[in-house]
Amino acid sequence: MGNLIKAEMRKIVTTKSWWALLIPAFFASLLFALGWGAFTNSLANVLDSEDTLTVTRTLGIETGELPMGLLAIGHGINVGLLFAVILGVLAVAGEYSKKTITTTFLTAPNRPMALGAKMITYSIWGALYGLAVSAAASLGIAFVVDGARMPSSGQWLAVIGTSLLAGVLATLFGVGVGALWKSVAGSVVTLSIYMLLIENVWVFISYGLWQENVAWMGGVLPNGTLNGIVGAIGAEAFGAAGVRIPGLQDEAVWGLQFSAGAPGAFSWWASALIFFGWTMVVFVGGWLVNQKRDIT
Amino acid sequence: MHDGSGRIAVQNLTKQFGTVPAVQNLSFAVEPGSVTGFLGPNGAGKTTTLRMLLGLVTPTSGAATINGRPYTQLGNPARVVGSVLENEGFHAKRTARNHLRVYAAAIGVPDQRVDEMLGLVGLASAADRPAGGYSLGMRQRLSLATALLGDPQVLVLDEPSNGLDPEGIAWLRGFLQSFAKQGRTVLVSSHLLSEVEQMIDQVVIVSAGMTRYYGPLEQLRASQQSRVLVQPADANALVTALREAGVGEVQPAHDGRVAVANANVQQIGDAAAKAGVAVYGMEEEKADLEQLFFQMTSPQYAGGPLPPQQPVPQQPVPQQPVPPQQQPPGPPQQPPGPPPGFQQGPQPGQPQNPYQAPGYQQPGQQGQQGWGGGQ
C-alpha cells in the first residue's frame, strides 16, 4: 500500500492540476472573505448603533461583541473547498479520461488497493487545501473586519481545524463522485452547478415556502453539511447552532446560519458526520462500480 | 500464490458485450520459452482476450490464468506480467521519466530501473519530454519500458509493432526472441501474420472470437506444400511420363497446365525430356502462410455466399493455392462457400497438436460463424 501511495503522490506532483486548482481556491477564498467580511462588518456597524443596541439588549443579545469575522471566514473557506472537490474528481475520473487507469490497475495488486491508495493520498491533499483556503480566508477578514470583531484565537483555531477536516472530506467526496461517474467534465460541471446554485436555491426556496419546518434541509444535504463543518463554528458563536441562546427567534437563527454559510447546520460535528455519510455513499458506490467495470 | 511456471492458460473464455459476442469459448495455452503469436483480423477479439487475461475485463464465462492464477491474485502482478496494450494512456503533460517513476513506485522497484528501461528502449534522450509530444512509435517504446519495469516473467503485447518503423520492428523482434530464450513467456498479438511471422514459434489464430488454429508455426508451415505448374506441348503425354517415372503427384490444373506436387523442377524436366515431351515453361508455386491465414480468418468478413461462377483467368492463379489433399476432384473451379479451411482439425496421420484444447473449432462450423454468417 505504501508503494501505491507513493505512486499516487508522484502522479499528483508531476502534473499541474494540484496548483492549477490550489491557486483559484486560494483567491476565491480570499476574495469571498474580503467581500463578505466587508459586508458583515458594515452590518455590525448598523447593529452597533444605539437604537439597535437598545432593541437587542432587551432580547438578551450583545451584538457589539459578535465576532462578525467568523461569518466571513466560514463563507470564504466554503467557496474555496469547491476546488478541493474538483481535485478529488480528477483522482479517478482524470485517470479514466487519460486512460492511465489501465496501467494504474495493472500495477496494483487489485482495484480495491488502487482506490484505497488514492483515498489516503487525496486525504492528505484535501487537508492541504483546507489549510490553504483557511489561510486565505483569514487573510481576507484581516483586511476588512474591525479588530474587535475578529474571532478569538480559540475560535480561529477551531476554524482552521474544521477547515482541514472539511478539506479532507470534500476531496474524498470528489474522489467518490469521479469514481462513480468516470467523466471529468460531467462530474465537475454537475458538482459545481449543484453546490453553487441548485442546493442553495432549493434550501432558500424551501425555507421561504415552509419556514422552520424545513430548516433542517440545509443541515442534511451534501453542500449544506460540507459548508456546515466550518460554517457552524461561526453560527455557534452567535448562538445559532449547537447551543441555543434563549429568546433568539427561529427565523433569526436560520438567518444567522445563512450568513455564516451554513443554513440549517446542527453543529460542526453533526455536519461533519452527515457529510462523511454522503462521502461514503459516493465512495462506496464508486468502489463497487470500479470492481466490475470493464477497462476497454 | 502463483506457481511461477510462466504459463498462460485460457480456458473456454467467453465475453459478451451486451448482445455482441466479442470472444466465444476461446481456449489455448502459451508455454514459457517461446514467442507465441496471437493472430486474427481486427475485431476478432484479440484485445478483449488479452484484457481479460490482464484482469481489466471480466469474462462472461471461462477463465484466463497466468502462472495458474487470475491476474488479480498474482500479488504484485507487474512483477510477474508486463503488458503493452493498444491505446495505452499517458498523461500528455507528464514526461516519460515521470511516467515511469510513478509506476516504478507502484511496483516497488528502485528509481534507477527507470533510467535503465529508458536506455533499453532508446528513449533516454527524450526522457524529459512530455509524452503528449511523442510519436506513436515512441509511445510504443514507452509502453514497453513501462511493461518491463517490474522485470516480469511474462510479457503480453497487443499489436506492438503499430507505429514502429522497420528498424524498430527489427529491434522488437530481436528483443522478444532473446526475452523468450531466457525461458520467459511472450504472447504478442497482431492482425498481420507477416509482421510477426519471423519472431514467433507458436501461433494462435482467432477469427470472429473463436480459435481457428493453434500450435507450432512450423507445423503450419510444413503442411503447406509447394507445387510446380508445367506448361507442356502435350499434357496427357506429360502426365503419363510423370506417372511412369514415378515423379510427384499430378493434380488437375484449370488453365491447360499440369500441376505437380512433391516434385521439383529438375525431376519434372528430366522425366519430360526422357519421354520427349516439350515443356514451354515451369513455374514453382510457393504456398505462403499469409494465404493460409486469410483462408482461416476470412469467414469473419464474408458478407454472403460468393457468386457461383468466377471468371477464370488465363494467367497463373497464385492467389488461391488449394491445399493439395483437399483438392476436389472433377470440376476445375473452386466451389463457392467457405474457403477450404485447411487446418480446421487434425488430419489423420498428421502429428497431433500437443496444444489442442477441448474448445477447438471444427471445420464444418466455419461457414455459419462470424459476422457475415447470418447469426
Side-chain angles (χ1 to χ4, degrees), chain B residues 205 207 212 224 287-300 318-323 326 334 337-344 366:
Chain B
I205 296 176
S207 178
R212 304 290 172 184
Q224 276 298 74
D288 73 284
L289 283 173
E290 198 77 45
Q291 303 264 335
L292 197 56
F293 175 58
F294 287 148
Q295 286 174 10
M296 285 183 188
T297 58
S298 57
Q300 179 162 13
Q319 70 265 30
Q320 275 286 351
V322 179
Q326 298 221 344
Q334 273 285 80
F342 161 69
Q343 208 29 281
Q344 300 302 318
Q366 193 178 21

PDB file of all heavy atoms in Angstrom, chain B residues 205 207 212 224 287-300 318-323 326 334 337-344 366:
ATOM      1  N   ILE B 205      -4.459 -18.665 -33.888  1.00  0.00           N
ATOM      2  CA  ILE B 205      -5.181 -17.871 -34.878  1.00  0.00           C
ATOM      3  C   ILE B 205      -6.652 -17.823 -34.485  1.00  0.00           C
ATOM      4  O   ILE B 205      -7.282 -18.857 -34.280  1.00  0.00           O
ATOM      5  CB  ILE B 205      -5.007 -18.456 -36.306  1.00  0.00           C
ATOM      6  CG1 ILE B 205      -3.524 -18.361 -36.705  1.00  0.00           C
ATOM      7  CG2 ILE B 205      -5.866 -17.694 -37.306  1.00  0.00           C
ATOM      8  CD1 ILE B 205      -3.208 -18.987 -38.039  1.00  0.00           C
ATOM      9  N   SER B 207     -10.550 -15.896 -35.145  1.00  0.00           N
ATOM     10  CA  SER B 207     -11.382 -15.098 -36.038  1.00  0.00           C
ATOM     11  C   SER B 207     -12.789 -15.136 -35.497  1.00  0.00           C
ATOM     12  O   SER B 207     -13.239 -16.190 -35.016  1.00  0.00           O
ATOM     13  CB  SER B 207     -11.335 -15.673 -37.446  1.00  0.00           C
ATOM     14  OG  SER B 207     -12.188 -14.925 -38.286  1.00  0.00           O
ATOM     15  N   ARG B 212      -9.100 -20.685 -34.495  1.00  0.00           N
ATOM     16  CA  ARG B 212      -9.091 -21.400 -35.780  1.00  0.00           C
ATOM     17  C   ARG B 212      -7.942 -22.394 -35.827  1.00  0.00           C
ATOM     18  O   ARG B 212      -8.004 -23.387 -36.529  1.00  0.00           O
ATOM     19  CB  ARG B 212      -8.934 -20.409 -36.929  1.00  0.00           C
ATOM     20  CG  ARG B 212      -9.968 -19.328 -36.962  1.00  0.00           C
ATOM     21  CD  ARG B 212     -11.319 -19.881 -37.339  1.00  0.00           C
ATOM     22  NE  ARG B 212     -12.333 -18.839 -37.175  1.00  0.00           N
ATOM     23  CZ  ARG B 212     -13.617 -19.036 -37.354  1.00  0.00           C
ATOM     24  NH1 ARG B 212     -14.070 -20.222 -37.688  1.00  0.00           N
ATOM     25  NH2 ARG B 212     -14.469 -18.056 -37.187  1.00  0.00           N
ATOM     26  N   GLN B 224       2.038 -26.886 -45.616  1.00  0.00           N
ATOM     27  CA  GLN B 224       1.867 -26.224 -46.892  1.00  0.00           C
ATOM     28  C   GLN B 224       2.843 -26.801 -47.897  1.00  0.00           C
ATOM     29  O   GLN B 224       4.057 -26.676 -47.762  1.00  0.00           O
ATOM     30  CB  GLN B 224       2.133 -24.729 -46.740  1.00  0.00           C
ATOM     31  CG  GLN B 224       0.939 -23.960 -46.250  1.00  0.00           C
ATOM     32  CD  GLN B 224      -0.217 -24.053 -47.202  1.00  0.00           C
ATOM     33  OE1 GLN B 224      -0.868 -25.096 -47.293  1.00  0.00           O
ATOM     34  NE2 GLN B 224      -0.498 -23.002 -47.925  1.00  0.00           N
ATOM     35  N   ALA B 287       3.309 -21.888 -51.722  1.00  0.00           N
ATOM     36  CA  ALA B 287       2.187 -21.502 -50.871  1.00  0.00           C
ATOM     37  C   ALA B 287       2.750 -20.766 -49.673  1.00  0.00           C
ATOM     38  O   ALA B 287       3.745 -21.174 -49.096  1.00  0.00           O
ATOM     39  CB  ALA B 287       1.445 -22.745 -50.408  1.00  0.00           C
ATOM     40  N   ASP B 288       2.146 -19.660 -49.327  1.00  0.00           N
ATOM     41  CA  ASP B 288       2.701 -18.964 -48.173  1.00  0.00           C
ATOM     42  C   ASP B 288       1.685 -18.896 -47.034  1.00  0.00           C
ATOM     43  O   ASP B 288       0.480 -19.078 -47.220  1.00  0.00           O
ATOM     44  CB  ASP B 288       3.236 -17.584 -48.574  1.00  0.00           C
ATOM     45  CG  ASP B 288       2.123 -16.620 -48.842  1.00  0.00           C
ATOM     46  OD1 ASP B 288       1.505 -16.752 -49.928  1.00  0.00           O
ATOM     47  OD2 ASP B 288       1.862 -15.777 -47.991  1.00  0.00           O
ATOM     48  N   LEU B 289       2.217 -18.651 -45.887  1.00  0.00           N
ATOM     49  CA  LEU B 289       1.408 -18.697 -44.674  1.00  0.00           C
ATOM     50  C   LEU B 289       0.324 -17.630 -44.651  1.00  0.00           C
ATOM     51  O   LEU B 289      -0.759 -17.840 -44.133  1.00  0.00           O
ATOM     52  CB  LEU B 289       2.313 -18.498 -43.448  1.00  0.00           C
ATOM     53  CG  LEU B 289       3.121 -19.704 -43.033  1.00  0.00           C
ATOM     54  CD1 LEU B 289       4.080 -19.324 -41.931  1.00  0.00           C
ATOM     55  CD2 LEU B 289       2.198 -20.810 -42.558  1.00  0.00           C
ATOM     56  N   GLU B 290       0.658 -16.501 -45.218  1.00  0.00           N
ATOM     57  CA  GLU B 290      -0.300 -15.400 -45.215  1.00  0.00           C
ATOM     58  C   GLU B 290      -1.618 -15.826 -45.869  1.00  0.00           C
ATOM     59  O   GLU B 290      -2.698 -15.521 -45.381  1.00  0.00           O
ATOM     60  CB  GLU B 290       0.321 -14.222 -45.971  1.00  0.00           C
ATOM     61  CG  GLU B 290      -0.348 -12.888 -45.705  1.00  0.00           C
ATOM     62  CD  GLU B 290       0.032 -12.293 -44.358  1.00  0.00           C
ATOM     63  OE1 GLU B 290       1.213 -12.312 -44.021  1.00  0.00           O
ATOM     64  OE2 GLU B 290      -0.865 -11.821 -43.646  1.00  0.00           O
ATOM     65  N   GLN B 291      -1.476 -16.577 -46.998  1.00  0.00           N
ATOM     66  CA  GLN B 291      -2.665 -17.053 -47.698  1.00  0.00           C
ATOM     67  C   GLN B 291      -3.488 -17.953 -46.794  1.00  0.00           C
ATOM     68  O   GLN B 291      -4.712 -17.877 -46.734  1.00  0.00           O
ATOM     69  CB  GLN B 291      -2.227 -17.857 -48.922  1.00  0.00           C
ATOM     70  CG  GLN B 291      -1.350 -17.083 -49.872  1.00  0.00           C
ATOM     71  CD  GLN B 291      -2.160 -16.478 -50.991  1.00  0.00           C
ATOM     72  OE1 GLN B 291      -3.229 -16.986 -51.301  1.00  0.00           O
ATOM     73  NE2 GLN B 291      -1.657 -15.414 -51.563  1.00  0.00           N
ATOM     74  N   LEU B 292      -2.758 -18.790 -46.110  1.00  0.00           N
ATOM     75  CA  LEU B 292      -3.410 -19.738 -45.223  1.00  0.00           C
ATOM     76  C   LEU B 292      -4.140 -18.990 -44.116  1.00  0.00           C
ATOM     77  O   LEU B 292      -5.278 -19.300 -43.748  1.00  0.00           O
ATOM     78  CB  LEU B 292      -2.305 -20.609 -44.621  1.00  0.00           C
ATOM     79  CG  LEU B 292      -2.727 -21.898 -43.977  1.00  0.00           C
ATOM     80  CD1 LEU B 292      -3.500 -22.733 -44.973  1.00  0.00           C
ATOM     81  CD2 LEU B 292      -1.482 -22.643 -43.544  1.00  0.00           C
ATOM     82  N   PHE B 293      -3.459 -17.971 -43.620  1.00  0.00           N
ATOM     83  CA  PHE B 293      -4.026 -17.136 -42.574  1.00  0.00           C
ATOM     84  C   PHE B 293      -5.323 -16.488 -43.066  1.00  0.00           C
ATOM     85  O   PHE B 293      -6.344 -16.484 -42.377  1.00  0.00           O
ATOM     86  CB  PHE B 293      -2.981 -16.081 -42.186  1.00  0.00           C
ATOM     87  CG  PHE B 293      -3.455 -15.062 -41.199  1.00  0.00           C
ATOM     88  CD1 PHE B 293      -3.934 -15.443 -39.951  1.00  0.00           C
ATOM     89  CD2 PHE B 293      -3.400 -13.708 -41.517  1.00  0.00           C
ATOM     90  CE1 PHE B 293      -4.356 -14.486 -39.041  1.00  0.00           C
ATOM     91  CE2 PHE B 293      -3.820 -12.754 -40.610  1.00  0.00           C
ATOM     92  CZ  PHE B 293      -4.309 -13.145 -39.371  1.00  0.00           C
ATOM     93  N   PHE B 294      -5.298 -15.977 -44.283  1.00  0.00           N
ATOM     94  CA  PHE B 294      -6.502 -15.357 -44.831  1.00  0.00           C
ATOM     95  C   PHE B 294      -7.624 -16.373 -44.937  1.00  0.00           C
ATOM     96  O   PHE B 294      -8.777 -16.082 -44.637  1.00  0.00           O
ATOM     97  CB  PHE B 294      -6.220 -14.774 -46.224  1.00  0.00           C
ATOM     98  CG  PHE B 294      -5.381 -13.532 -46.181  1.00  0.00           C
ATOM     99  CD1 PHE B 294      -4.500 -13.241 -47.203  1.00  0.00           C
ATOM    100  CD2 PHE B 294      -5.481 -12.648 -45.114  1.00  0.00           C
ATOM    101  CE1 PHE B 294      -3.731 -12.092 -47.170  1.00  0.00           C
ATOM    102  CE2 PHE B 294      -4.717 -11.496 -45.073  1.00  0.00           C
ATOM    103  CZ  PHE B 294      -3.833 -11.219 -46.102  1.00  0.00           C
ATOM    104  N   GLN B 295      -7.255 -17.576 -45.366  1.00  0.00           N
ATOM    105  CA  GLN B 295      -8.291 -18.601 -45.509  1.00  0.00           C
ATOM    106  C   GLN B 295      -8.936 -18.923 -44.167  1.00  0.00           C
ATOM    107  O   GLN B 295     -10.124 -19.152 -44.076  1.00  0.00           O
ATOM    108  CB  GLN B 295      -7.688 -19.870 -46.093  1.00  0.00           C
ATOM    109  CG  GLN B 295      -7.374 -19.741 -47.563  1.00  0.00           C
ATOM    110  CD  GLN B 295      -6.655 -20.962 -48.077  1.00  0.00           C
ATOM    111  OE1 GLN B 295      -6.558 -21.968 -47.387  1.00  0.00           O
ATOM    112  NE2 GLN B 295      -6.161 -20.879 -49.289  1.00  0.00           N
ATOM    113  N   MET B 296      -8.109 -18.942 -43.139  1.00  0.00           N
ATOM    114  CA  MET B 296      -8.646 -19.298 -41.829  1.00  0.00           C
ATOM    115  C   MET B 296      -9.479 -18.188 -41.226  1.00  0.00           C
ATOM    116  O   MET B 296     -10.387 -18.436 -40.450  1.00  0.00           O
ATOM    117  CB  MET B 296      -7.501 -19.582 -40.860  1.00  0.00           C
ATOM    118  CG  MET B 296      -6.840 -20.901 -41.110  1.00  0.00           C
ATOM    119  SD  MET B 296      -5.602 -21.112 -39.832  1.00  0.00           S
ATOM    120  CE  MET B 296      -4.801 -22.553 -40.441  1.00  0.00           C
ATOM    121  N   THR B 297      -9.140 -16.974 -41.538  1.00  0.00           N
ATOM    122  CA  THR B 297      -9.801 -15.865 -40.869  1.00  0.00           C
ATOM    123  C   THR B 297     -10.836 -15.166 -41.717  1.00  0.00           C
ATOM    124  O   THR B 297     -11.585 -14.352 -41.228  1.00  0.00           O
ATOM    125  CB  THR B 297      -8.756 -14.810 -40.431  1.00  0.00           C
ATOM    126  OG1 THR B 297      -8.053 -14.358 -41.559  1.00  0.00           O
ATOM    127  CG2 THR B 297      -7.797 -15.399 -39.423  1.00  0.00           C
ATOM    128  N   SER B 298     -10.886 -15.504 -43.009  1.00  0.00           N
ATOM    129  CA  SER B 298     -11.771 -14.725 -43.874  1.00  0.00           C
ATOM    130  C   SER B 298     -13.260 -14.846 -43.574  1.00  0.00           C
ATOM    131  O   SER B 298     -13.985 -13.918 -43.842  1.00  0.00           O
ATOM    132  CB  SER B 298     -11.501 -15.067 -45.334  1.00  0.00           C
ATOM    133  OG  SER B 298     -11.671 -16.441 -45.530  1.00  0.00           O
ATOM    134  N   PRO B 299     -13.762 -15.938 -43.016  1.00  0.00           N
ATOM    135  CA  PRO B 299     -15.213 -16.007 -42.840  1.00  0.00           C
ATOM    136  C   PRO B 299     -15.766 -14.836 -42.038  1.00  0.00           C
ATOM    137  O   PRO B 299     -16.919 -14.479 -42.173  1.00  0.00           O
ATOM    138  CB  PRO B 299     -15.422 -17.303 -42.075  1.00  0.00           C
ATOM    139  CG  PRO B 299     -14.198 -18.079 -42.249  1.00  0.00           C
ATOM    140  CD  PRO B 299     -13.105 -17.138 -42.570  1.00  0.00           C
ATOM    141  N   GLN B 300     -14.907 -14.218 -41.209  1.00  0.00           N
ATOM    142  CA  GLN B 300     -15.396 -13.131 -40.390  1.00  0.00           C
ATOM    143  C   GLN B 300     -15.993 -12.004 -41.216  1.00  0.00           C
ATOM    144  O   GLN B 300     -16.931 -11.355 -40.817  1.00  0.00           O
ATOM    145  CB  GLN B 300     -14.253 -12.578 -39.546  1.00  0.00           C
ATOM    146  CG  GLN B 300     -14.725 -11.423 -38.682  1.00  0.00           C
ATOM    147  CD  GLN B 300     -13.783 -11.158 -37.566  1.00  0.00           C
ATOM    148  OE1 GLN B 300     -12.663 -11.655 -37.557  1.00  0.00           O
ATOM    149  NE2 GLN B 300     -14.231 -10.396 -36.611  1.00  0.00           N
ATOM    150  N   PRO B 318      -2.008 -17.685 -58.526  1.00  0.00           N
ATOM    151  CA  PRO B 318      -1.336 -17.994 -57.264  1.00  0.00           C
ATOM    152  C   PRO B 318      -2.148 -17.575 -56.038  1.00  0.00           C
ATOM    153  O   PRO B 318      -1.835 -17.967 -54.947  1.00  0.00           O
ATOM    154  CB  PRO B 318      -0.033 -17.191 -57.341  1.00  0.00           C
ATOM    155  CG  PRO B 318      -0.362 -16.056 -58.257  1.00  0.00           C
ATOM    156  CD  PRO B 318      -1.430 -16.533 -59.187  1.00  0.00           C
ATOM    157  N   GLN B 319      -3.211 -16.773 -56.246  1.00  0.00           N
ATOM    158  CA  GLN B 319      -3.889 -16.265 -55.043  1.00  0.00           C
ATOM    159  C   GLN B 319      -4.780 -17.295 -54.389  1.00  0.00           C
ATOM    160  O   GLN B 319      -5.284 -17.072 -53.322  1.00  0.00           O
ATOM    161  CB  GLN B 319      -4.700 -15.000 -55.373  1.00  0.00           C
ATOM    162  CG  GLN B 319      -5.930 -15.239 -56.229  1.00  0.00           C
ATOM    163  CD  GLN B 319      -5.635 -15.027 -57.696  1.00  0.00           C
ATOM    164  OE1 GLN B 319      -4.520 -15.237 -58.145  1.00  0.00           O
ATOM    165  NE2 GLN B 319      -6.612 -14.608 -58.460  1.00  0.00           N
ATOM    166  N   GLN B 320      -5.009 -18.414 -55.041  1.00  0.00           N
ATOM    167  CA  GLN B 320      -5.823 -19.436 -54.403  1.00  0.00           C
ATOM    168  C   GLN B 320      -5.123 -20.786 -54.423  1.00  0.00           C
ATOM    169  O   GLN B 320      -5.589 -21.717 -55.049  1.00  0.00           O
ATOM    170  CB  GLN B 320      -7.182 -19.555 -55.095  1.00  0.00           C
ATOM    171  CG  GLN B 320      -8.234 -18.577 -54.598  1.00  0.00           C
ATOM    172  CD  GLN B 320      -8.761 -18.968 -53.244  1.00  0.00           C
ATOM    173  OE1 GLN B 320      -8.468 -20.048 -52.727  1.00  0.00           O
ATOM    174  NE2 GLN B 320      -9.545 -18.101 -52.620  1.00  0.00           N
ATOM    175  N   PRO B 321      -4.019 -20.890 -53.781  1.00  0.00           N
ATOM    176  CA  PRO B 321      -3.377 -22.200 -53.775  1.00  0.00           C
ATOM    177  C   PRO B 321      -4.228 -23.141 -52.936  1.00  0.00           C
ATOM    178  O   PRO B 321      -4.507 -22.873 -51.782  1.00  0.00           O
ATOM    179  CB  PRO B 321      -2.034 -21.935 -53.104  1.00  0.00           C
ATOM    180  CG  PRO B 321      -2.280 -20.729 -52.258  1.00  0.00           C
ATOM    181  CD  PRO B 321      -3.390 -19.950 -52.877  1.00  0.00           C
ATOM    182  N   VAL B 322      -4.661 -24.159 -53.555  1.00  0.00           N
ATOM    183  CA  VAL B 322      -5.556 -25.060 -52.852  1.00  0.00           C
ATOM    184  C   VAL B 322      -4.711 -26.141 -52.190  1.00  0.00           C
ATOM    185  O   VAL B 322      -3.879 -26.756 -52.832  1.00  0.00           O
ATOM    186  CB  VAL B 322      -6.541 -25.687 -53.852  1.00  0.00           C
ATOM    187  CG1 VAL B 322      -7.467 -26.640 -53.143  1.00  0.00           C
ATOM    188  CG2 VAL B 322      -7.326 -24.593 -54.555  1.00  0.00           C
ATOM    189  N   PRO B 323      -4.935 -26.332 -50.926  1.00  0.00           N
ATOM    190  CA  PRO B 323      -4.157 -27.388 -50.266  1.00  0.00           C
ATOM    191  C   PRO B 323      -4.347 -28.690 -51.005  1.00  0.00           C
ATOM    192  O   PRO B 323      -5.479 -29.092 -51.281  1.00  0.00           O
ATOM    193  CB  PRO B 323      -4.767 -27.440 -48.876  1.00  0.00           C
ATOM    194  CG  PRO B 323      -5.375 -26.083 -48.674  1.00  0.00           C
ATOM    195  CD  PRO B 323      -5.796 -25.611 -50.027  1.00  0.00           C
ATOM    196  N   GLN B 326      -6.871 -31.464 -50.219  1.00  0.00           N
ATOM    197  CA  GLN B 326      -8.288 -31.170 -50.235  1.00  0.00           C
ATOM    198  C   GLN B 326      -8.762 -30.821 -51.627  1.00  0.00           C
ATOM    199  O   GLN B 326      -9.858 -30.320 -51.803  1.00  0.00           O
ATOM    200  CB  GLN B 326      -8.560 -29.997 -49.298  1.00  0.00           C
ATOM    201  CG  GLN B 326      -8.186 -30.336 -47.864  1.00  0.00           C
ATOM    202  CD  GLN B 326      -9.196 -29.818 -46.887  1.00  0.00           C
ATOM    203  OE1 GLN B 326     -10.005 -28.966 -47.226  1.00  0.00           O
ATOM    204  NE2 GLN B 326      -9.182 -30.357 -45.688  1.00  0.00           N
ATOM    205  N   GLN B 334     -13.152 -23.713 -58.144  1.00  0.00           N
ATOM    206  CA  GLN B 334     -13.418 -23.817 -56.708  1.00  0.00           C
ATOM    207  C   GLN B 334     -14.916 -23.695 -56.497  1.00  0.00           C
ATOM    208  O   GLN B 334     -15.552 -22.801 -57.042  1.00  0.00           O
ATOM    209  CB  GLN B 334     -12.743 -22.655 -55.983  1.00  0.00           C
ATOM    210  CG  GLN B 334     -11.313 -22.957 -55.629  1.00  0.00           C
ATOM    211  CD  GLN B 334     -11.274 -23.912 -54.452  1.00  0.00           C
ATOM    212  OE1 GLN B 334     -11.456 -25.111 -54.609  1.00  0.00           O
ATOM    213  NE2 GLN B 334     -11.041 -23.394 -53.293  1.00  0.00           N
ATOM    214  N   GLY B 337     -18.649 -20.888 -51.394  1.00  0.00           N
ATOM    215  CA  GLY B 337     -18.855 -21.257 -49.995  1.00  0.00           C
ATOM    216  C   GLY B 337     -17.585 -21.023 -49.211  1.00  0.00           C
ATOM    217  O   GLY B 337     -16.702 -20.305 -49.642  1.00  0.00           O
ATOM    218  N   PRO B 338     -17.540 -21.629 -48.084  1.00  0.00           N
ATOM    219  CA  PRO B 338     -16.403 -21.356 -47.206  1.00  0.00           C
ATOM    220  C   PRO B 338     -15.098 -21.758 -47.866  1.00  0.00           C
ATOM    221  O   PRO B 338     -15.055 -22.745 -48.612  1.00  0.00           O
ATOM    222  CB  PRO B 338     -16.684 -22.208 -45.983  1.00  0.00           C
ATOM    223  CG  PRO B 338     -17.800 -23.097 -46.336  1.00  0.00           C
ATOM    224  CD  PRO B 338     -18.485 -22.536 -47.523  1.00  0.00           C
ATOM    225  N   PRO B 339     -14.081 -21.023 -47.638  1.00  0.00           N
ATOM    226  CA  PRO B 339     -12.785 -21.407 -48.176  1.00  0.00           C
ATOM    227  C   PRO B 339     -12.408 -22.765 -47.621  1.00  0.00           C
ATOM    228  O   PRO B 339     -12.919 -23.174 -46.587  1.00  0.00           O
ATOM    229  CB  PRO B 339     -11.841 -20.333 -47.652  1.00  0.00           C
ATOM    230  CG  PRO B 339     -12.699 -19.257 -47.101  1.00  0.00           C
ATOM    231  CD  PRO B 339     -14.017 -19.843 -46.821  1.00  0.00           C
ATOM    232  N   PRO B 340     -11.531 -23.431 -48.286  1.00  0.00           N
ATOM    233  CA  PRO B 340     -11.253 -24.817 -47.914  1.00  0.00           C
ATOM    234  C   PRO B 340     -10.525 -24.923 -46.594  1.00  0.00           C
ATOM    235  O   PRO B 340      -9.613 -25.701 -46.480  1.00  0.00           O
ATOM    236  CB  PRO B 340     -10.386 -25.306 -49.075  1.00  0.00           C
ATOM    237  CG  PRO B 340      -9.823 -24.075 -49.678  1.00  0.00           C
ATOM    238  CD  PRO B 340     -10.782 -22.990 -49.457  1.00  0.00           C
ATOM    239  N   GLY B 341     -10.895 -24.130 -45.659  1.00  0.00           N
ATOM    240  CA  GLY B 341     -10.369 -24.082 -44.286  1.00  0.00           C
ATOM    241  C   GLY B 341      -9.401 -25.216 -44.016  1.00  0.00           C
ATOM    242  O   GLY B 341      -9.798 -26.288 -43.576  1.00  0.00           O
ATOM    243  N   PHE B 342      -8.202 -24.953 -44.271  1.00  0.00           N
ATOM    244  CA  PHE B 342      -7.223 -26.006 -44.349  1.00  0.00           C
ATOM    245  C   PHE B 342      -7.092 -26.779 -43.046  1.00  0.00           C
ATOM    246  O   PHE B 342      -7.289 -27.971 -42.971  1.00  0.00           O
ATOM    247  CB  PHE B 342      -5.900 -25.399 -44.763  1.00  0.00           C
ATOM    248  CG  PHE B 342      -4.757 -26.279 -44.435  1.00  0.00           C
ATOM    249  CD1 PHE B 342      -4.603 -27.455 -45.119  1.00  0.00           C
ATOM    250  CD2 PHE B 342      -3.884 -25.945 -43.422  1.00  0.00           C
ATOM    251  CE1 PHE B 342      -3.549 -28.283 -44.827  1.00  0.00           C
ATOM    252  CE2 PHE B 342      -2.841 -26.773 -43.135  1.00  0.00           C
ATOM    253  CZ  PHE B 342      -2.669 -27.942 -43.825  1.00  0.00           C
ATOM    254  N   GLN B 343      -6.813 -26.055 -41.986  1.00  0.00           N
ATOM    255  CA  GLN B 343      -6.422 -26.801 -40.797  1.00  0.00           C
ATOM    256  C   GLN B 343      -7.473 -26.703 -39.710  1.00  0.00           C
ATOM    257  O   GLN B 343      -7.238 -26.220 -38.632  1.00  0.00           O
ATOM    258  CB  GLN B 343      -5.073 -26.256 -40.306  1.00  0.00           C
ATOM    259  CG  GLN B 343      -4.238 -27.275 -39.567  1.00  0.00           C
ATOM    260  CD  GLN B 343      -4.459 -28.675 -39.997  1.00  0.00           C
ATOM    261  OE1 GLN B 343      -5.438 -29.319 -39.617  1.00  0.00           O
ATOM    262  NE2 GLN B 343      -3.567 -29.213 -40.789  1.00  0.00           N
ATOM    263  N   GLN B 344      -8.650 -27.138 -40.026  1.00  0.00           N
ATOM    264  CA  GLN B 344      -9.706 -26.979 -39.052  1.00  0.00           C
ATOM    265  C   GLN B 344      -9.768 -28.119 -38.056  1.00  0.00           C
ATOM    266  O   GLN B 344     -10.479 -28.077 -37.096  1.00  0.00           O
ATOM    267  CB  GLN B 344     -11.051 -26.821 -39.753  1.00  0.00           C
ATOM    268  CG  GLN B 344     -11.078 -25.614 -40.676  1.00  0.00           C
ATOM    269  CD  GLN B 344     -10.780 -24.341 -39.932  1.00  0.00           C
ATOM    270  OE1 GLN B 344     -11.263 -24.121 -38.833  1.00  0.00           O
ATOM    271  NE2 GLN B 344      -9.960 -23.504 -40.519  1.00  0.00           N
ATOM    272  N   GLN B 366     -17.485 -23.651 -39.804  1.00  0.00           N
ATOM    273  CA  GLN B 366     -16.882 -22.386 -40.170  1.00  0.00           C
ATOM    274  C   GLN B 366     -17.820 -21.463 -40.941  1.00  0.00           C
ATOM    275  O   GLN B 366     -17.866 -20.280 -40.708  1.00  0.00           O
ATOM    276  CB  GLN B 366     -15.652 -22.678 -41.031  1.00  0.00           C
ATOM    277  CG  GLN B 366     -14.786 -21.464 -41.214  1.00  0.00           C
ATOM    278  CD  GLN B 366     -13.577 -21.814 -42.026  1.00  0.00           C
ATOM    279  OE1 GLN B 366     -13.578 -22.799 -42.733  1.00  0.00           O
ATOM    280  NE2 GLN B 366     -12.550 -21.035 -41.916  1.00  0.00           N
TER     281      GLN B 366
END
